[in-house]
Amino acid sequence: AGHINYGGRVTDDWDRRCLMNVLGGFYRQEVIDDGYIYSESAIYKQISADNELNGYLSYIRSLPINDTPEIFGLHDNANITFAQNETFTVLEDLVKLQPKSSTGGGKSREEVMESTAQEILKQVPKVVSLSDVMTKYPVMYAQSMNTVLVQEVIRYNRLLHVIHQSLHDLQKALKGLVVMSQQLEDMANSLFNNAVPAIWATKAYPSLKPLASWV
């Protein structure tokens, strides 16, 4: 059963491996034995086949309304991660529901995005000169941290390049000079909602900060 594609949820070998591991506790010979437990707490167990209808109904009613992580072989902290993800999803949806046009005398949505892009360009530094860094901090056996520094500069430069390039492209798109692609539109929505654009987040370190603090 673990090799079956469950409604598109099994998309790669890691998903299949996870599903096979979970199902391993259910698809085995021992499950037909009376008293076989599916979890350490013994909440989920195999009841006797001698039970009548009322016995089955009584056991079903005793089960928790919401399945605990242990039935899936997960730690109790999985509930915390699940609740956090649900909260973030709800908050993101609420932010997306806010009006995207100005009805008063304030700035329009496009003006807000353009001014935000300009402010970020003023704050974000230019690409760091890798040659200058390697000259001042040469990569050598006696100075292992210099190697780390060079690697971090390379990664930081990739992020800076993406930020500068995408902001310039967004400004051109807002002026109608280039086509507003889906990637630029998603980035514009993130700037308007004070969120870090996904195109930047993939090049940076993980962070939960809003855009203003992140920059």
Side-chain angles (χ1 to χ4, degrees):
H3 295 281
I4 300 175
N5 190 320
Y6 279 84
R9 297 183 181 276
V10 181
T11 58
D12 54 33
D13 289 338
W14 289 107
D15 287 342
R16 186 179 61 83
R17 180 178 178 180
C18 177
L19 184 60
M20 291 288 291
N21 186 61
V22 173
L23 293 179
F26 299 89
Y27 286 83
R28 57 172 59 188
Q29 184 66 28
E30 293 85 350
V31 298
I32 62 176
D33 298 335
D34 293 343
Y36 176 80
I37 59 175
Y38 296 96
S39 60
E40 294 182 359
S41 64
I43 296 177
Y44 306 93
K45 60 184 179 180
Q46 180 69 25
I47 61 177
S48 175
D50 297 331
N51 279 291
E52 297 181 353
L53 176 61
N54 290 333
Y56 285 106
L57 292 177
S58 176
Y59 172 70
I60 293 173
R61 293 191 182 101
S62 68
L63 295 175
I65 297 177
N66 297 318
D67 292 326
T68 57
E70 65 174 347
I71 189 61
F72 304 106
L74 302 175
H75 192 271
D76 288 342
N77 287 344
N79 263 339
I80 300 177
T81 303
F82 171 75
Q84 288 177 337
N85 292 337
E86 286 289 298
T87 302
F88 292 149
T89 301
V90 172
L91 292 177
E92 288 176 0
D93 291 340
L94 288 176
V95 170
K96 292 178 182 178
L97 291 175
Q98 67 178 336
K100 296 184 178 180
S101 59
S102 177
T103 57
K107 292 183 178 180
S108 65
R109 183 170 179 269
E110 288 73 17
E111 290 174 340
V112 171
M113 292 186 295
E114 186 173 4
S115 62
T116 302
Q118 292 174 352
E119 288 298 324
I120 294 176
L121 283 174
K122 293 178 182 178
Q123 298 180 44
V124 176
K126 300 295 183 181
V127 174
V128 181
S129 175
L130 183 60
S131 59
D132 292 345
V133 173
M134 296 186 68
T135 300
K136 188 174 182 179
Y137 303 98
V139 177
M140 51 193 303
Y141 181 79
Q143 297 291 337
S144 59
M145 293 303 296
N146 290 358
T147 303
V148 178
L149 176 62
V150 171
Q151 293 174 347
E152 291 301 309
V153 169
I154 294 174
R155 182 172 182 177
Y156 189 54
N157 281 344
R158 291 173 183 168
L159 174 61
L160 292 176
H161 175 75
V162 170
I163 292 177
H164 283 282
Q165 185 64 45
S166 58
L167 286 176
H168 286 302
D169 291 343
L170 177 61
Q171 288 180 323
K172 293 179 181 178
L174 292 174
K175 296 177 181 178
L177 301 178
V178 297
V179 177
M180 177 71 79
S181 64
Q182 183 62 48
Q183 188 179 57
L184 288 178
E185 185 174 354
D186 293 340
M187 174 183 166
N189 291 332
S190 297
L191 295 182
F192 184 76
N193 296 328
N194 193 31
V196 179
I199 187 177
W200 299 356
T202 56
K203 301 294 183 181
Y205 294 102
S207 175
L208 297 177
K209 291 183 178 181
L211 179 62
S213 302
W214 187 84
V215 173

mmCIF file with all atom_site columns, all heavy atoms in Angstrom, residues 1-24 27:
data_model
loop_
_atom_site.group_PDB
_atom_site.id
_atom_site.type_symbol
_atom_site.label_atom_id
_atom_site.label_alt_id
_atom_site.label_comp_id
_atom_site.label_asym_id
_atom_site.label_entity_id
_atom_site.label_seq_id
_atom_site.pdbx_PDB_ins_code
_atom_site.Cartn_x
_atom_site.Cartn_y
_atom_site.Cartn_z
_atom_site.occupancy
_atom_site.B_iso_or_equiv
_atom_site.pdbx_formal_charge
_atom_site.auth_seq_id
_atom_site.auth_comp_id
_atom_site.auth_asym_id
_atom_site.auth_atom_id
_atom_site.pdbx_PDB_model_num
ATOM 1   N N   . ALA A 1 1  ? 0.824  -1.205 0.000  1.00 0.00 ? 1  ALA A N   1
ATOM 2   C CA  . ALA A 1 1  ? 0.000  0.000  0.000  1.00 0.00 ? 1  ALA A CA  1
ATOM 3   C C   . ALA A 1 1  ? 0.860  1.257  0.000  1.00 0.00 ? 1  ALA A C   1
ATOM 4   O O   . ALA A 1 1  ? 0.441  2.298  -0.481 1.00 0.00 ? 1  ALA A O   1
ATOM 5   C CB  . ALA A 1 1  ? -0.920 0.000  1.215  1.00 0.00 ? 1  ALA A CB  1
ATOM 6   N N   . GLY A 1 2  ? 2.057  1.181  0.560  1.00 0.00 ? 2  GLY A N   1
ATOM 7   C CA  . GLY A 1 2  ? 2.908  2.364  0.613  1.00 0.00 ? 2  GLY A CA  1
ATOM 8   C C   . GLY A 1 2  ? 3.434  2.790  -0.736 1.00 0.00 ? 2  GLY A C   1
ATOM 9   O O   . GLY A 1 2  ? 3.932  3.908  -0.887 1.00 0.00 ? 2  GLY A O   1
ATOM 10  N N   . HIS A 1 3  ? 3.337  1.912  -1.728 1.00 0.00 ? 3  HIS A N   1
ATOM 11  C CA  . HIS A 1 3  ? 3.814  2.256  -3.066 1.00 0.00 ? 3  HIS A CA  1
ATOM 12  C C   . HIS A 1 3  ? 2.730  2.941  -3.893 1.00 0.00 ? 3  HIS A C   1
ATOM 13  O O   . HIS A 1 3  ? 2.991  3.375  -5.009 1.00 0.00 ? 3  HIS A O   1
ATOM 14  C CB  . HIS A 1 3  ? 4.282  0.991  -3.798 1.00 0.00 ? 3  HIS A CB  1
ATOM 15  C CG  . HIS A 1 3  ? 5.474  0.344  -3.156 1.00 0.00 ? 3  HIS A CG  1
ATOM 16  N ND1 . HIS A 1 3  ? 6.761  0.801  -3.331 1.00 0.00 ? 3  HIS A ND1 1
ATOM 17  C CD2 . HIS A 1 3  ? 5.566  -0.716 -2.316 1.00 0.00 ? 3  HIS A CD2 1
ATOM 18  C CE1 . HIS A 1 3  ? 7.602  0.039  -2.642 1.00 0.00 ? 3  HIS A CE1 1
ATOM 19  N NE2 . HIS A 1 3  ? 6.899  -0.887 -2.015 1.00 0.00 ? 3  HIS A NE2 1
ATOM 20  N N   . ILE A 1 4  ? 1.523  3.025  -3.361 1.00 0.00 ? 4  ILE A N   1
ATOM 21  C CA  . ILE A 1 4  ? 0.418  3.639  -4.095 1.00 0.00 ? 4  ILE A CA  1
ATOM 22  C C   . ILE A 1 4  ? 0.473  5.148  -3.906 1.00 0.00 ? 4  ILE A C   1
ATOM 23  O O   . ILE A 1 4  ? 0.760  5.644  -2.818 1.00 0.00 ? 4  ILE A O   1
ATOM 24  C CB  . ILE A 1 4  ? -0.936 3.087  -3.599 1.00 0.00 ? 4  ILE A CB  1
ATOM 25  C CG1 . ILE A 1 4  ? -0.990 1.573  -3.800 1.00 0.00 ? 4  ILE A CG1 1
ATOM 26  C CG2 . ILE A 1 4  ? -2.092 3.750  -4.327 1.00 0.00 ? 4  ILE A CG2 1
ATOM 27  C CD1 . ILE A 1 4  ? -2.233 0.929  -3.227 1.00 0.00 ? 4  ILE A CD1 1
ATOM 28  N N   . ASN A 1 5  ? 0.187  5.877  -4.953 1.00 0.00 ? 5  ASN A N   1
ATOM 29  C CA  . ASN A 1 5  ? 0.174  7.335  -4.891 1.00 0.00 ? 5  ASN A CA  1
ATOM 30  C C   . ASN A 1 5  ? -1.151 7.776  -4.280 1.00 0.00 ? 5  ASN A C   1
ATOM 31  O O   . ASN A 1 5  ? -2.195 7.697  -4.917 1.00 0.00 ? 5  ASN A O   1
ATOM 32  C CB  . ASN A 1 5  ? 0.343  7.920  -6.298 1.00 0.00 ? 5  ASN A CB  1
ATOM 33  C CG  . ASN A 1 5  ? 0.568  9.417  -6.268 1.00 0.00 ? 5  ASN A CG  1
ATOM 34  O OD1 . ASN A 1 5  ? -0.040 10.128 -5.490 1.00 0.00 ? 5  ASN A OD1 1
ATOM 35  N ND2 . ASN A 1 5  ? 1.443  9.893  -7.128 1.00 0.00 ? 5  ASN A ND2 1
ATOM 36  N N   . TYR A 1 6  ? -1.108 8.238  -3.033 1.00 0.00 ? 6  TYR A N   1
ATOM 37  C CA  . TYR A 1 6  ? -2.319 8.646  -2.327 1.00 0.00 ? 6  TYR A CA  1
ATOM 38  C C   . TYR A 1 6  ? -2.739 10.055 -2.752 1.00 0.00 ? 6  TYR A C   1
ATOM 39  O O   . TYR A 1 6  ? -2.380 11.042 -2.134 1.00 0.00 ? 6  TYR A O   1
ATOM 40  C CB  . TYR A 1 6  ? -2.097 8.598  -0.810 1.00 0.00 ? 6  TYR A CB  1
ATOM 41  C CG  . TYR A 1 6  ? -2.238 7.224  -0.221 1.00 0.00 ? 6  TYR A CG  1
ATOM 42  C CD1 . TYR A 1 6  ? -1.182 6.325  -0.234 1.00 0.00 ? 6  TYR A CD1 1
ATOM 43  C CD2 . TYR A 1 6  ? -3.441 6.811  0.327  1.00 0.00 ? 6  TYR A CD2 1
ATOM 44  C CE1 . TYR A 1 6  ? -1.307 5.051  0.302  1.00 0.00 ? 6  TYR A CE1 1
ATOM 45  C CE2 . TYR A 1 6  ? -3.582 5.541  0.867  1.00 0.00 ? 6  TYR A CE2 1
ATOM 46  C CZ  . TYR A 1 6  ? -2.515 4.672  0.851  1.00 0.00 ? 6  TYR A CZ  1
ATOM 47  O OH  . TYR A 1 6  ? -2.652 3.415  1.385  1.00 0.00 ? 6  TYR A OH  1
ATOM 48  N N   . GLY A 1 7  ? -3.513 10.147 -3.813 1.00 0.00 ? 7  GLY A N   1
ATOM 49  C CA  . GLY A 1 7  ? -4.058 11.434 -4.231 1.00 0.00 ? 7  GLY A CA  1
ATOM 50  C C   . GLY A 1 7  ? -3.006 12.482 -4.523 1.00 0.00 ? 7  GLY A C   1
ATOM 51  O O   . GLY A 1 7  ? -3.232 13.670 -4.310 1.00 0.00 ? 7  GLY A O   1
ATOM 52  N N   . GLY A 1 8  ? -1.840 12.063 -5.001 1.00 0.00 ? 8  GLY A N   1
ATOM 53  C CA  . GLY A 1 8  ? -0.797 13.020 -5.339 1.00 0.00 ? 8  GLY A CA  1
ATOM 54  C C   . GLY A 1 8  ? 0.063  13.438 -4.167 1.00 0.00 ? 8  GLY A C   1
ATOM 55  O O   . GLY A 1 8  ? 0.945  14.283 -4.304 1.00 0.00 ? 8  GLY A O   1
ATOM 56  N N   . ARG A 1 9  ? -0.157 12.862 -2.989 1.00 0.00 ? 9  ARG A N   1
ATOM 57  C CA  . ARG A 1 9  ? 0.613  13.259 -1.812 1.00 0.00 ? 9  ARG A CA  1
ATOM 58  C C   . ARG A 1 9  ? 1.990  12.597 -1.775 1.00 0.00 ? 9  ARG A C   1
ATOM 59  O O   . ARG A 1 9  ? 2.894  13.088 -1.118 1.00 0.00 ? 9  ARG A O   1
ATOM 60  C CB  . ARG A 1 9  ? -0.159 12.926 -0.535 1.00 0.00 ? 9  ARG A CB  1
ATOM 61  C CG  . ARG A 1 9  ? -1.473 13.683 -0.424 1.00 0.00 ? 9  ARG A CG  1
ATOM 62  C CD  . ARG A 1 9  ? -2.186 13.378 0.880  1.00 0.00 ? 9  ARG A CD  1
ATOM 63  N NE  . ARG A 1 9  ? -3.449 14.081 0.966  1.00 0.00 ? 9  ARG A NE  1
ATOM 64  C CZ  . ARG A 1 9  ? -3.595 15.332 1.369  1.00 0.00 ? 9  ARG A CZ  1
ATOM 65  N NH1 . ARG A 1 9  ? -2.530 16.019 1.726  1.00 0.00 ? 9  ARG A NH1 1
ATOM 66  N NH2 . ARG A 1 9  ? -4.777 15.904 1.427  1.00 0.00 ? 9  ARG A NH2 1
ATOM 67  N N   . VAL A 1 10 ? 2.138  11.476 -2.428 1.00 0.00 ? 10 VAL A N   1
ATOM 68  C CA  . VAL A 1 10 ? 3.438  10.808 -2.496 1.00 0.00 ? 10 VAL A CA  1
ATOM 69  C C   . VAL A 1 10 ? 4.116  11.261 -3.783 1.00 0.00 ? 10 VAL A C   1
ATOM 70  O O   . VAL A 1 10 ? 3.796  10.787 -4.868 1.00 0.00 ? 10 VAL A O   1
ATOM 71  C CB  . VAL A 1 10 ? 3.279  9.275  -2.470 1.00 0.00 ? 10 VAL A CB  1
ATOM 72  C CG1 . VAL A 1 10 ? 4.640  8.602  -2.506 1.00 0.00 ? 10 VAL A CG1 1
ATOM 73  C CG2 . VAL A 1 10 ? 2.511  8.839  -1.234 1.00 0.00 ? 10 VAL A CG2 1
ATOM 74  N N   . THR A 1 11 ? 5.030  12.202 -3.642 1.00 0.00 ? 11 THR A N   1
ATOM 75  C CA  . THR A 1 11 ? 5.622  12.822 -4.831 1.00 0.00 ? 11 THR A CA  1
ATOM 76  C C   . THR A 1 11 ? 7.064  12.412 -5.077 1.00 0.00 ? 11 THR A C   1
ATOM 77  O O   . THR A 1 11 ? 7.584  12.657 -6.158 1.00 0.00 ? 11 THR A O   1
ATOM 78  C CB  . THR A 1 11 ? 5.564  14.355 -4.708 1.00 0.00 ? 11 THR A CB  1
ATOM 79  O OG1 . THR A 1 11 ? 6.263  14.759 -3.515 1.00 0.00 ? 11 THR A OG1 1
ATOM 80  C CG2 . THR A 1 11 ? 4.113  14.825 -4.612 1.00 0.00 ? 11 THR A CG2 1
ATOM 81  N N   . ASP A 1 12 ? 7.727  11.819 -4.091 1.00 0.00 ? 12 ASP A N   1
ATOM 82  C CA  . ASP A 1 12 ? 9.117  11.417 -4.301 1.00 0.00 ? 12 ASP A CA  1
ATOM 83  C C   . ASP A 1 12 ? 9.443  10.235 -3.392 1.00 0.00 ? 12 ASP A C   1
ATOM 84  O O   . ASP A 1 12 ? 8.595  9.735  -2.648 1.00 0.00 ? 12 ASP A O   1
ATOM 85  C CB  . ASP A 1 12 ? 10.077 12.584 -4.045 1.00 0.00 ? 12 ASP A CB  1
ATOM 86  C CG  . ASP A 1 12 ? 9.870  13.211 -2.668 1.00 0.00 ? 12 ASP A CG  1
ATOM 87  O OD1 . ASP A 1 12 ? 9.516  12.474 -1.724 1.00 0.00 ? 12 ASP A OD1 1
ATOM 88  O OD2 . ASP A 1 12 ? 10.062 14.425 -2.534 1.00 0.00 ? 12 ASP A OD2 1
ATOM 89  N N   . ASP A 1 13 ? 10.685 9.791  -3.454 1.00 0.00 ? 13 ASP A N   1
ATOM 90  C CA  . ASP A 1 13 ? 11.107 8.624  -2.682 1.00 0.00 ? 13 ASP A CA  1
ATOM 91  C C   . ASP A 1 13 ? 11.049 8.871  -1.180 1.00 0.00 ? 13 ASP A C   1
ATOM 92  O O   . ASP A 1 13 ? 10.809 7.947  -0.397 1.00 0.00 ? 13 ASP A O   1
ATOM 93  C CB  . ASP A 1 13 ? 12.526 8.210  -3.087 1.00 0.00 ? 13 ASP A CB  1
ATOM 94  C CG  . ASP A 1 13 ? 12.563 7.603  -4.484 1.00 0.00 ? 13 ASP A CG  1
ATOM 95  O OD1 . ASP A 1 13 ? 11.505 7.138  -4.940 1.00 0.00 ? 13 ASP A OD1 1
ATOM 96  O OD2 . ASP A 1 13 ? 13.640 7.606  -5.109 1.00 0.00 ? 13 ASP A OD2 1
ATOM 97  N N   . TRP A 1 14 ? 11.277 10.121 -0.765 1.00 0.00 ? 14 TRP A N   1
ATOM 98  C CA  . TRP A 1 14 ? 11.235 10.417 0.668  1.00 0.00 ? 14 TRP A CA  1
ATOM 99  C C   . TRP A 1 14 ? 9.811  10.307 1.205  1.00 0.00 ? 14 TRP A C   1
ATOM 100 O O   . TRP A 1 14 ? 9.595  9.818  2.325  1.00 0.00 ? 14 TRP A O   1
ATOM 101 C CB  . TRP A 1 14 ? 11.804 11.808 0.933  1.00 0.00 ? 14 TRP A CB  1
ATOM 102 C CG  . TRP A 1 14 ? 13.283 11.889 0.726  1.00 0.00 ? 14 TRP A CG  1
ATOM 103 C CD1 . TRP A 1 14 ? 13.938 12.498 -0.301 1.00 0.00 ? 14 TRP A CD1 1
ATOM 104 C CD2 . TRP A 1 14 ? 14.300 11.317 1.558  1.00 0.00 ? 14 TRP A CD2 1
ATOM 105 N NE1 . TRP A 1 14 ? 15.300 12.353 -0.167 1.00 0.00 ? 14 TRP A NE1 1
ATOM 106 C CE2 . TRP A 1 14 ? 15.550 11.636 0.970  1.00 0.00 ? 14 TRP A CE2 1
ATOM 107 C CE3 . TRP A 1 14 ? 14.280 10.576 2.732  1.00 0.00 ? 14 TRP A CE3 1
ATOM 108 C CZ2 . TRP A 1 14 ? 16.758 11.228 1.524  1.00 0.00 ? 14 TRP A CZ2 1
ATOM 109 C CZ3 . TRP A 1 14 ? 15.490 10.174 3.287  1.00 0.00 ? 14 TRP A CZ3 1
ATOM 110 C CH2 . TRP A 1 14 ? 16.707 10.504 2.681  1.00 0.00 ? 14 TRP A CH2 1
ATOM 111 N N   . ASP A 1 15 ? 8.836  10.779 0.425  1.00 0.00 ? 15 ASP A N   1
ATOM 112 C CA  . ASP A 1 15 ? 7.437  10.632 0.836  1.00 0.00 ? 15 ASP A CA  1
ATOM 113 C C   . ASP A 1 15 ? 7.063  9.153  0.927  1.00 0.00 ? 15 ASP A C   1
ATOM 114 O O   . ASP A 1 15 ? 6.383  8.725  1.864  1.00 0.00 ? 15 ASP A O   1
ATOM 115 C CB  . ASP A 1 15 ? 6.514  11.337 -0.163 1.00 0.00 ? 15 ASP A CB  1
ATOM 116 C CG  . ASP A 1 15 ? 6.595  12.848 -0.051 1.00 0.00 ? 15 ASP A CG  1
ATOM 117 O OD1 . ASP A 1 15 ? 7.082  13.323 0.989  1.00 0.00 ? 15 ASP A OD1 1
ATOM 118 O OD2 . ASP A 1 15 ? 6.180  13.541 -0.990 1.00 0.00 ? 15 ASP A OD2 1
ATOM 119 N N   . ARG A 1 16 ? 7.490  8.391  -0.052 1.00 0.00 ? 16 ARG A N   1
ATOM 120 C CA  . ARG A 1 16 ? 7.178  6.961  -0.059 1.00 0.00 ? 16 ARG A CA  1
ATOM 121 C C   . ARG A 1 16 ? 7.846  6.260  1.123  1.00 0.00 ? 16 ARG A C   1
ATOM 122 O O   . ARG A 1 16 ? 7.246  5.402  1.773  1.00 0.00 ? 16 ARG A O   1
ATOM 123 C CB  . ARG A 1 16 ? 7.643  6.336  -1.375 1.00 0.00 ? 16 ARG A CB  1
ATOM 124 C CG  . ARG A 1 16 ? 7.242  4.867  -1.539 1.00 0.00 ? 16 ARG A CG  1
ATOM 125 C CD  . ARG A 1 16 ? 7.712  4.332  -2.882 1.00 0.00 ? 16 ARG A CD  1
ATOM 126 N NE  . ARG A 1 16 ? 9.158  4.396  -2.985 1.00 0.00 ? 16 ARG A NE  1
ATOM 127 C CZ  . ARG A 1 16 ? 9.982  3.464  -2.479 1.00 0.00 ? 16 ARG A CZ  1
ATOM 128 N NH1 . ARG A 1 16 ? 9.492  2.415  -1.855 1.00 0.00 ? 16 ARG A NH1 1
ATOM 129 N NH2 . ARG A 1 16 ? 11.286 3.585  -2.610 1.00 0.00 ? 16 ARG A NH2 1
ATOM 130 N N   . ARG A 1 17 ? 9.072  6.649  1.417  1.00 0.00 ? 17 ARG A N   1
ATOM 131 C CA  . ARG A 1 17 ? 9.785  6.046  2.547  1.00 0.00 ? 17 ARG A CA  1
ATOM 132 C C   . ARG A 1 17 ? 9.081  6.356  3.865  1.00 0.00 ? 17 ARG A C   1
ATOM 133 O O   . ARG A 1 17 ? 8.951  5.486  4.734  1.00 0.00 ? 17 ARG A O   1
ATOM 134 C CB  . ARG A 1 17 ? 11.219 6.576  2.572  1.00 0.00 ? 17 ARG A CB  1
ATOM 135 C CG  . ARG A 1 17 ? 12.069 6.034  3.709  1.00 0.00 ? 17 ARG A CG  1
ATOM 136 C CD  . ARG A 1 17 ? 13.489 6.587  3.624  1.00 0.00 ? 17 ARG A CD  1
ATOM 137 N NE  . ARG A 1 17 ? 14.315 6.116  4.723  1.00 0.00 ? 17 ARG A NE  1
ATOM 138 C CZ  . ARG A 1 17 ? 15.593 6.450  4.893  1.00 0.00 ? 17 ARG A CZ  1
ATOM 139 N NH1 . ARG A 1 17 ? 16.183 7.243  4.011  1.00 0.00 ? 17 ARG A NH1 1
ATOM 140 N NH2 . ARG A 1 17 ? 16.272 5.994  5.920  1.00 0.00 ? 17 ARG A NH2 1
ATOM 141 N N   . CYS A 1 18 ? 8.615  7.597  4.010  1.00 0.00 ? 18 CYS A N   1
ATOM 142 C CA  . CYS A 1 18 ? 7.895  7.985  5.223  1.00 0.00 ? 18 CYS A CA  1
ATOM 143 C C   . CYS A 1 18 ? 6.597  7.195  5.351  1.00 0.00 ? 18 CYS A C   1
ATOM 144 O O   . CYS A 1 18 ? 6.269  6.685  6.431  1.00 0.00 ? 18 CYS A O   1
ATOM 145 C CB  . CYS A 1 18 ? 7.612  9.490  5.202  1.00 0.00 ? 18 CYS A CB  1
ATOM 146 S SG  . CYS A 1 18 ? 6.655  10.094 6.613  1.00 0.00 ? 18 CYS A SG  1
ATOM 147 N N   . LEU A 1 19 ? 5.854  7.097  4.248  1.00 0.00 ? 19 LEU A N   1
ATOM 148 C CA  . LEU A 1 19 ? 4.588  6.371  4.276  1.00 0.00 ? 19 LEU A CA  1
ATOM 149 C C   . LEU A 1 19 ? 4.801  4.892  4.567  1.00 0.00 ? 19 LEU A C   1
ATOM 150 O O   . LEU A 1 19 ? 4.048  4.281  5.339  1.00 0.00 ? 19 LEU A O   1
ATOM 151 C CB  . LEU A 1 19 ? 3.868  6.548  2.937  1.00 0.00 ? 19 LEU A CB  1
ATOM 152 C CG  . LEU A 1 19 ? 2.481  5.918  2.828  1.00 0.00 ? 19 LEU A CG  1
ATOM 153 C CD1 . LEU A 1 19 ? 1.547  6.508  3.878  1.00 0.00 ? 19 LEU A CD1 1
ATOM 154 C CD2 . LEU A 1 19 ? 1.900  6.127  1.439  1.00 0.00 ? 19 LEU A CD2 1
ATOM 155 N N   . MET A 1 20 ? 5.828  4.305  3.976  1.00 0.00 ? 20 MET A N   1
ATOM 156 C CA  . MET A 1 20 ? 6.120  2.895  4.225  1.00 0.00 ? 20 MET A CA  1
ATOM 157 C C   . MET A 1 20 ? 6.460  2.660  5.696  1.00 0.00 ? 20 MET A C   1
ATOM 158 O O   . MET A 1 20 ? 6.075  1.647  6.289  1.00 0.00 ? 20 MET A O   1
ATOM 159 C CB  . MET A 1 20 ? 7.284  2.445  3.342  1.00 0.00 ? 20 MET A CB  1
ATOM 160 C CG  . MET A 1 20 ? 6.955  2.385  1.853  1.00 0.00 ? 20 MET A CG  1
ATOM 161 S SD  . MET A 1 20 ? 5.857  1.020  1.434  1.00 0.00 ? 20 MET A SD  1
ATOM 162 C CE  . MET A 1 20 ? 6.955  -0.367 1.703  1.00 0.00 ? 20 MET A CE  1
ATOM 163 N N   . ASN A 1 21 ? 7.166  3.610  6.295  1.00 0.00 ? 21 ASN A N   1
ATOM 164 C CA  . ASN A 1 21 ? 7.539  3.480  7.702  1.00 0.00 ? 21 ASN A CA  1
ATOM 165 C C   . ASN A 1 21 ? 6.314  3.560  8.610  1.00 0.00 ? 21 ASN A C   1
ATOM 166 O O   . ASN A 1 21 ? 6.193  2.808  9.585  1.00 0.00 ? 21 ASN A O   1
ATOM 167 C CB  . ASN A 1 21 ? 8.539  4.573  8.068  1.00 0.00 ? 21 ASN A CB  1
ATOM 168 C CG  . ASN A 1 21 ? 9.070  4.417  9.478  1.00 0.00 ? 21 ASN A CG  1
ATOM 169 O OD1 . ASN A 1 21 ? 9.684  3.412  9.805  1.00 0.00 ? 21 ASN A OD1 1
ATOM 170 N ND2 . ASN A 1 21 ? 8.825  5.404  10.315 1.00 0.00 ? 21 ASN A ND2 1
ATOM 171 N N   . VAL A 1 22 ? 5.390  4.482  8.296  1.00 0.00 ? 22 VAL A N   1
ATOM 172 C CA  . VAL A 1 22 ? 4.172  4.615  9.099  1.00 0.00 ? 22 VAL A CA  1
ATOM 173 C C   . VAL A 1 22 ? 3.289  3.382  8.951  1.00 0.00 ? 22 VAL A C   1
ATOM 174 O O   . VAL A 1 22 ? 2.773  2.833  9.937  1.00 0.00 ? 22 VAL A O   1
ATOM 175 C CB  . VAL A 1 22 ? 3.397  5.885  8.689  1.00 0.00 ? 22 VAL A CB  1
ATOM 176 C CG1 . VAL A 1 22 ? 2.042  5.932  9.390  1.00 0.00 ? 22 VAL A CG1 1
ATOM 177 C CG2 . VAL A 1 22 ? 4.199  7.133  9.029  1.00 0.00 ? 22 VAL A CG2 1
ATOM 178 N N   . LEU A 1 23 ? 3.122  2.928  7.714  1.00 0.00 ? 23 LEU A N   1
ATOM 179 C CA  . LEU A 1 23 ? 2.256  1.775  7.473  1.00 0.00 ? 23 LEU A CA  1
ATOM 180 C C   . LEU A 1 23 ? 2.864  0.478  7.996  1.00 0.00 ? 23 LEU A C   1
ATOM 181 O O   . LEU A 1 23 ? 2.145  -0.515 8.165  1.00 0.00 ? 23 LEU A O   1
ATOM 182 C CB  . LEU A 1 23 ? 1.978  1.639  5.973  1.00 0.00 ? 23 LEU A CB  1
ATOM 183 C CG  . LEU A 1 23 ? 1.148  2.759  5.339  1.00 0.00 ? 23 LEU A CG  1
ATOM 184 C CD1 . LEU A 1 23 ? 0.969  2.510  3.848  1.00 0.00 ? 23 LEU A CD1 1
ATOM 185 C CD2 . LEU A 1 23 ? -0.209 2.874  6.016  1.00 0.00 ? 23 LEU A CD2 1
ATOM 186 N N   . GLY A 1 24 ? 4.180  0.498  8.265  1.00 0.00 ? 24 GLY A N   1
ATOM 187 C CA  . GLY A 1 24 ? 4.827  -0.706 8.775  1.00 0.00 ? 24 GLY A CA  1
ATOM 188 C C   . GLY A 1 24 ? 4.259  -1.172 10.102 1.00 0.00 ? 24 GLY A C   1
ATOM 189 O O   . GLY A 1 24 ? 4.334  -2.357 10.441 1.00 0.00 ? 24 GLY A O   1
ATOM 190 N N   . TYR A 1 27 ? 0.487  -2.810 8.723  1.00 0.00 ? 27 TYR A N   1
ATOM 191 C CA  . TYR A 1 27 ? 0.457  -3.944 7.797  1.00 0.00 ? 27 TYR A CA  1
ATOM 192 C C   . TYR A 1 27 ? 1.463  -4.996 8.262  1.00 0.00 ? 27 TYR A C   1
ATOM 193 O O   . TYR A 1 27 ? 2.582  -5.081 7.755  1.00 0.00 ? 27 TYR A O   1
ATOM 194 C CB  . TYR A 1 27 ? 0.780  -3.484 6.374  1.00 0.00 ? 27 TYR A CB  1
ATOM 195 C CG  . TYR A 1 27 ? -0.338 -2.733 5.706  1.00 0.00 ? 27 TYR A CG  1
ATOM 196 C CD1 . TYR A 1 27 ? -0.510 -1.373 5.939  1.00 0.00 ? 27 TYR A CD1 1
ATOM 197 C CD2 . TYR A 1 27 ? -1.231 -3.371 4.852  1.00 0.00 ? 27 TYR A CD2 1
ATOM 198 C CE1 . TYR A 1 27 ? -1.542 -0.667 5.339  1.00 0.00 ? 27 TYR A CE1 1
ATOM 199 C CE2 . TYR A 1 27 ? -2.266 -2.678 4.247  1.00 0.00 ? 27 TYR A CE2 1
ATOM 200 C CZ  . TYR A 1 27 ? -2.416 -1.331 4.496  1.00 0.00 ? 27 TYR A CZ  1
ATOM 201 O OH  . TYR A 1 27 ? -3.439 -0.642 3.896  1.00 0.00 ? 27 TYR A OH  1
#
